Amino acid sequence: MSKSTSSKLSPITLALILSVLITLTTYILRGLGILGFIPGSVILLLMTISIFLGIFYGISVTRRF
């Protein structure tokens, strides 16, 4: 018999997906001129957060415990 596994996302995975979606949405809307009032440093901060979460996610996935 096969056991059904529910695919629940870990909190770090959800944080990574959310940060990447917010970053891409902000970047695209700023490029279209809709969010033109947002400074470039905010975009860089969002990208930095996404990169750090991606690194942290990669480290947490490869742990064996």
Side-chain angles (χ1 to χ4, degrees):
M1 298 271 161
S2 64
K3 197 182 236 186
S4 66
T5 58
S6 62
S7 59
K8 292 190 177 187
L9 298 176
S10 67
I12 187 67
T13 306
L14 289 175
L16 175 63
I17 292 171
L18 185 64
S19 70
V20 169
L21 284 176
I22 290 172
T23 302
L24 287 177
T25 303
T26 308
Y27 185 74
I28 291 170
L29 290 178
R30 186 173 184 260
L32 292 174
I34 297 171
L35 295 176
F37 59 89
I38 293 180
S41 59
V42 173
I43 301 291
L44 289 175
L45 179 67
L46 287 171
M47 287 182 182
T48 305
I49 290 170
S50 295
I51 289 170
F52 280 129
L53 281 174
I55 291 170
F56 186 68
Y57 171 76
I59 291 170
S60 68
V61 167
T62 57
R63 282 191 190 164
R64 296 181 187 176
F65 59 88

